Amino acid sequence: MRVAFSDESKRDLRSITIFISADSPSRAKKFVGDLQAACLGLADHPERYALVPGFEAHAYRRRPLGNYAIIYAVGANAITIVRALHTAMDLVAALGSD
């Protein structure tokens, strides 16, 4: 199954890179690479992770990775990476209310 990144998720990955780079550019590169690999790995078992409570109507799922969460939706032909967010963020504010 194909994995597509939304514009917002691309912005999230850039923001994560910038944030972590302030302390360690090499760590930022590795971690964001790990995040991207985790996103692409969803193609193997897209329904492995649970639906996000309150966002079932959108079929949003959450794949954790460290202190971050990959929010994605499984479609008929593709997985869409919706956001990549720090787990401390308010999901309702970041994703909009249902």
Side-chain angles (χ1 to χ4, degrees):
M1 186 171 278
R2 186 174 72 84
V3 176
F5 290 81
S6 71
D7 289 340
E8 283 187 310
S9 70
K10 291 176 188 177
R11 281 191 294 274
D12 291 338
L13 293 172
R14 281 192 297 277
S15 295
I16 293 166
T17 301
I18 291 166
F19 180 76
I20 297 174
S21 288
D23 289 329
S24 173
S26 62
R27 174 73 181 123
K29 183 177 179 178
K30 181 183 180 335
F31 183 72
V32 172
D34 291 346
L35 269 174
Q36 291 171 324
C39 290
L40 296 175
L42 292 169
D44 296 331
H45 300 287
E47 296 182 353
R48 175 179 178 191
Y49 296 96
L51 291 167
V52 178
F55 293 91
E56 294 89 348
H58 297 285
Y60 287 168
R61 294 178 177 273
R62 174 180 19 218
R63 195 262 195 237
L65 183 67
N67 291 329
Y68 288 84
I70 299 163
I71 308 300
Y72 68 99
V74 180
N77 298 314
I79 297 165
T80 301
I81 307 302
V82 177
R83 301 291 307 263
L85 304 168
H86 193 279
T87 55
M89 290 185 73
D90 178 358
L91 282 181
V92 173
L95 299 174
S97 61
D98 204 21

